């Protein structure tokens, strides 16, 4: 069995690759709209458009090819992890019932099911991704044609039409095209396909395992915020053979897109033995889950409606980031000073809109207590130099009367002296360990960024390799396991309000000491290299000395 929370987050690791692709395509469209420009003769416009359209198609196919190996490996790992998790969880229940179940790796039939599910999902994902080449071309053509008509009719100037065309192309991001003609955002479509594929495969394995162990009853999982059609059967017992007195597979819509195991369904099932197993969900608990509400601004909102509103606010943040990426690509491409100035104005205005969208989302999450899901708001590729440009643009808007910027304490991870980068120097953190550390923090609201531009310079001036400001963490490219561990720990400190009652300087020293001590306590768990341990010990001594000096001056609050 896979828990609802497992299924909710199992595809998060795919988001980075999908968003990077989405960002690259939208930026490419924006650049080619600028290159196409405007000419008075329709024939020349069509010729230039055709040239750029062909280049755009080639670029998209190249982007897909560059990411294929990474996405395929990630999906395979996802299937293998989910398969092992399902069988291990169910087998513990079979063992408790006195049975001797088969391990996944010792069952050719279950391994074959896992492989078939992986290949089927991979094929679906590849087909969906390839359709984006055609939809991107269509988005580019439509935007350019509309711009030309607007200029020819006198409705807009050339610069206004180009700006409108860029926003039109960026409004929905990269779309996939289904055979029915319906389109969807690529990360939504692929996330749905992979989640559905993983869940369906693991449910099939679970059903096979149950048959092998002679188990007929399965208990369905349950979670708050289930869609109404699923809430009526979640947490109930299902008879695989259709025995009376229990739900049947038809009752829960097993095998249909809208039922149990269908699109985006996070329910699963696990073996149940009458007289041995204990029900996980009482009628009272199920009623509580179904009728759960959240208080927001004095109003009781159904939990399901609250999660849908959160999704809407998350999409608004995502849309703002994508528009910024498109605008930034266009303004870097243009050689027209007037168009550049207007695109700079658009970028500044969109930066302010992004901040307002983030504030609305944060206010809703704070007011409702819902945990943020940054995998739904992060546009990878946006989050580097563009984020720093957006911050600068926001500050310029603020200075002109757009509001203030709240200051936050900076928590630095200092670089060891003579720090080296590369194979002969400090060992960079491996990807698996990195995700193991940061993914839980991201799910709790951490905003992870690669330091570039102004932030890279800022870290250099402070001889630091990482910094945490509130819920945002900046890492340099050569981040080590110690860097990542400590800054994520600082994020948790900030989130919990650790030592918040003290003044800023004392709180900084206290949190730094606590973070260094934590780092040393997990040195074996994360196999931290000796040179990093030595650097941390030196930094700990420095902060302890700083604490003693503050005490002697009477600047340390002992309460």
């Amino acid at each position: 069995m896979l828990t609802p929370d497992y299924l909710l987050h199992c595809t998060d690791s795919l988001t980075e690759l999908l968003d990077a692709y989405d960002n690259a395509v939208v930026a490419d469209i924006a650049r080619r709209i600028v290159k196409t420009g405007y000419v008075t003769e329709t024939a020349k416009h069509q010729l230039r458009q055709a040239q750029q359209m062909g280049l755009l198609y080639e670029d998209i196919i190249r982007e897909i090819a560059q990411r294929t190996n990474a996405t395929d490996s990630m999906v395979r790992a996802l299937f293998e992890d989910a398969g092992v998790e399902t069988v291990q969880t169910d087998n513990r229940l079979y063992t408790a019932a006195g049975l001797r179940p088969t391990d996944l790796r010792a069952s050719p039939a279950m391994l074959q099911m896992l492989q078939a599910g992986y290949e089927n999902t991979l094929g679906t994902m590849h087909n969906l991704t390839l359709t984006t080449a055609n939809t991107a071309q269509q988005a580019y053509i439509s935007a350019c044609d509309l711009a030309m008509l607007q200029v020819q009719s006198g409705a807009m100037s050339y610069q206004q039409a180009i700006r409108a065309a860029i926003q039109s192309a960026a409004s929905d991001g990269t779309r996939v095209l289904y055979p029915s003609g319906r389109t969807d955002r690529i990360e939504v479509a692929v996330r749905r396909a992979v989640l559905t594929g993983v869940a369906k495969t693991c449910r099939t394995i679970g059903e096979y395992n149950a048959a092998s162990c002679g188990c007929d009853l399965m208990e369905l999982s349950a979670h708050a915020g289930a869609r109404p059609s699923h809430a009526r059967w979640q947490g109930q017992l299902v008879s695989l053979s259709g025995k009376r007195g229990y739900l049947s597979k038809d009752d829960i819509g097993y095998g249909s897109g809208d039922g149990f195991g269908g699109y985006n369904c996070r329910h699963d099932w696990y073996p149940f033995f009458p007289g041995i197993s204990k029900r996980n969900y009482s009628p009272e608990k199920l009623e509580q889950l179904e009728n759960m509400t959240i208080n927001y601004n004095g109003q009781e909102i159904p939990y399901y409606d609250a999660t849908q509103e959160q999704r809407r606010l998350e999409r608004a943040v995502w849309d703002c980031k994508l528009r910024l990426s498109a605008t930034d690509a266009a303004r870097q491409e243009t050689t027209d000073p007037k168009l550049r100035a207007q695109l700079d104005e658009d970028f500044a205005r969109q930066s302010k809109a992004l901040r307002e969208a983030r504030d609305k989302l944060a206010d809703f999450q704070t007011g409702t207590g819902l945990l943020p899901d940054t995998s739904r708001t992060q546009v990878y590729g946006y989050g580097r130099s563009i984020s720093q440009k957006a911050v600068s643009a926001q500050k310029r808007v603020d200075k002109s009367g757009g509001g203030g910027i709240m200051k936050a304490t900076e928590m630095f991870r200092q670089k060891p002296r003579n720090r080296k980068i590369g194979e002969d120097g400090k060992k960079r953190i491996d990807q698996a360990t990195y995700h193991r550390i940061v993914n839980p923090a991201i799910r709790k609201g951490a905003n992870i960024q690669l330091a570039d531009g102004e932030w890279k310079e800022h870290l250099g001036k402070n001889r630091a390799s990482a910094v945490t400001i509130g819920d945002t963490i900046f890492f340099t490219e050569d981040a080590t396991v110690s860097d990542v561990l400590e800054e994520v720990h600082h994020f948790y400190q900030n989130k919990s309000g650790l030592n918040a009652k003290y003044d800023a300087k004392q709180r900084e020293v206290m949190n730094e000491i606590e973070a260094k001590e934590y780092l040393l306590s997990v040195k074996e768990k994360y196999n931290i290299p000796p040179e990093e341990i030595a650097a941390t010990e030196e930094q700990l001594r420095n902060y302890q000395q700083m604490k003693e000096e503050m005490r002697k001056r009477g600047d340390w609050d002992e309460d």
Side-chain angles (χ1 to χ4, degrees), residues 488-503:
V488 168
H489 192 71
H490 281 318
F491 161 75
Y492 288 129
Q493 290 175 331
N494 293 339
K495 191 172 182 65
S496 68
L498 183 67
N499 298 317
K501 67 178 182 179
Y502 301 103
D503 64 47

Side-chain angles (χ1 to χ4, degrees), residues 413 419 426-430 433-434 436-438 475 478-488 518-519 522-523 525-529 532-533 536:
R413 169 73 183 176
R419 180 188 181 111
K426 296 289 180 182
K427 183 179 179 182
R428 298 179 183 180
I429 188 170
D430 63 88
T433 305
Y434 173 80
R436 175 185 170 193
I437 297 169
V438 304
F475 292 120
D478 60 319
T480 66
V481 64
S482 296
D483 297 332
V484 178
L485 275 170
E486 183 171 339
E487 295 311 315
V488 168
Y518 162 76
L519 203 59
V522 296
K523 60 185 179 182
K525 178 179 178 180
Y526 290 97
N527 196 25
I528 299 177
E532 292 179 37
I533 295 173
T536 299

